Amino acid sequence: MDKQNTLNKFEFFDVTADVGFHAHGNDLADAFQNAALATFEVMTDTSQIKPAVKREISVESEDEKALLYDWLSELLFLHDYEGLVFSQFKVTINQKGPEIFNLHAEVCGEEFNQKTHEVRDEVKAVTFHLMEINKEKNGCTLQVILDT
């Protein structure tokens, strides 16, 4: 993925001691995919990640913000415990009731290798601090702050 392809998917903003970003998408699922991409872009150059490993992720949460938090946290868990980095995300989101939101995703990436992947910042955790989900007619924008 070249820099041109990441244009308008996400942008970073300044946060003291942390990393913040706005992820954009045509809809909520698309924005969640771009939030995941931005999270891994903090760690390494995602254009260098090959889709050698595929994982399926399912998350259920009580609202959309919790779903975003749980989604990104699950990806960080896979990174921390399996050493994986991801660059491709296919997300579907369904609301099963007033307080039941489901996310199912297929993610592709590979094991992190310092010889082939640029080492950037370590992401320790996702935070709820200043988290926002803004849905409009022409798309969706998420605001996320990562603890680095």
Side-chain angles (χ1 to χ4, degrees):
M1 179 180 296
D2 61 29
K3 193 168 189 161
Q4 184 68 22
N5 288 340
T6 60
L7 195 62
N8 294 327
K9 289 186 179 180
F10 60 85
E11 74 262 349
F12 297 100
F13 62 90
D14 291 331
V15 182
T16 306
D18 291 326
V19 173
F21 64 84
H22 296 110
H24 310 285
N26 295 323
D27 57 25
L28 188 63
D30 194 33
F32 270 52
Q33 291 169 174
N34 292 330
L37 185 63
T39 299
F40 283 96
E41 192 70 26
V42 170
M43 297 181 231
T44 192
D45 179 356
T46 57
S47 70
Q48 300 301 309
I49 299 172
K50 294 177 179 62
V53 175
K54 182 172 149 181
R55 293 285 187 271
E56 290 196 20
I57 297 172
S58 293
V59 178
E60 184 174 284
S61 304
E62 67 273 6
D63 61 37
E64 291 172 338
K65 282 185 183 178
L67 193 68
L68 177 58
Y69 176 91
D70 292 343
W71 156 240
L72 296 176
S73 295
E74 184 66 21
L75 291 170
L76 289 178
F77 175 82
L78 289 171
H79 172 70
D80 290 344
Y81 289 95
E82 294 187 33
L84 299 173
V85 287
F86 300 101
S87 61
Q88 296 179 8
F89 311 90
K90 184 178 178 189
V91 172
T92 57
I93 298 172
N94 295 301
Q95 185 172 355
K96 300 288 185 180
E99 294 184 11
I100 303 172
F101 291 81
N102 288 325
L103 175 146
H104 181 77
E106 289 182 3
V107 300
C108 295
E110 66 181 331
E111 192 170 319
F112 183 81
N113 181 337
Q114 289 187 353
K115 293 178 184 175
T116 57
H117 299 114
E118 178 183 348
V119 177
R120 293 182 179 168
D121 290 334
E122 175 189 355
V123 176
K124 298 175 195 161
V126 182
T127 73
F128 275 109
H129 181 65
L130 299 177
M131 184 179 280
E132 291 181 14
I133 297 176
N134 297 308
K135 292 191 246 179
E136 297 180 9
K137 283 188 257 182
N138 60 346
C140 182
T141 299
L142 312 174
Q143 179 171 286
V144 176
I145 296 178
L146 302 172
D147 181 9
T148 56

